[in-house]
Amino acid sequence: LTWEYEGKQYVNERFIGTNKAAWNFVANQRPQEKFGVMWFGVDDSSFSLHAPIYGVTSRVPPSWYGGNCTGRAACRESFGLPGTISNFSLQAMHWVGQLVAAQAYTRYEDVAPVVQAELAKIEGELFEAVAAMDEKVKQGAGAEEATRFSYETMERLHARWLEFWGQLFATFVDGYRNVRDPQNEFCQCQKETPHWSEAWKARVVAEAGEHYHMPTEQLARPQVINKLSLAALGGCKHRDDPALV
């Protein structure tokens, strides 16, 4: 959180959402209900998917379980838990949460809103699921039913967040944004180039001068054909210009 520049010490403010967090939670005591609920999430709360865990829950999936180890590798290994701070595992929710957050850190302006929207969608569904489970509790469901609800919900969230990370990676791979386009015969997608702000362009020009400048005479592009028209790919005719076959 601290850093030095030209002999002076500086400090960053410690935000509620920080990449240095190991886990976070919101405890909802709910005196009007029989059981309280803890909304538990791994890693940075800014991009953390929170699982509803009833206060009477007696077991959780290995992907979420910490074994009261506070992250100690030897302790986790003794419990047979997946992954440690140094050893990556897709079976550990800690690492899946890190993957999603890391995507947002590297392209915050583009990726963070997508993650936030997915969080809002999923957690909205979870609010409804908890409300439905509360009704079952009022009708007589006890600790075991509440435990089963929390356990199974956490398993589904682990799988869903892992799938979401894959979708996120495919959408923003190679610095582009992959959007669906049914008209594109090759991939049914379009690769959108990220927007550069005027401030960033000005900085590049200020720091690099004419290094990246293209003379006007070099801006004209040669005629381009659709590669799907190539005979090697089964193409028999260029749709726009038959003379280019």
Side-chain angles (χ1 to χ4, degrees), residues 46-132:
S46 301
F47 305 108
S48 183
L49 179 59
H50 293 85
I53 307 174
Y54 276 97
V56 292
T57 299
S58 58
R59 60 185 182 278
V60 296
S63 56
W64 291 80
Y65 187 46
N68 200 28
C69 294
T70 60
R72 289 173 294 139
C75 179
R76 289 187 59 83
E77 291 168 355
S78 70
F79 278 99
L81 298 175
T84 66
I85 294 176
S86 301
N87 295 321
F88 175 82
S89 173
L90 289 175
Q91 301 309 310
M93 187 62 185
H94 166 81
W95 280 114
V96 176
Q98 292 271 14
L99 288 172
V100 172
Q103 283 284 110
Y105 293 153
T106 55
R107 289 179 59 186
Y108 198 95
E109 181 180 2
D110 298 316
V111 180
V114 178
V115 178
Q116 296 289 354
E118 188 69 11
L119 284 172
K121 175 184 175 182
I122 296 176
E123 293 186 354
E125 296 171 0
L126 292 174
F127 292 152
E128 295 181 358
V130 169

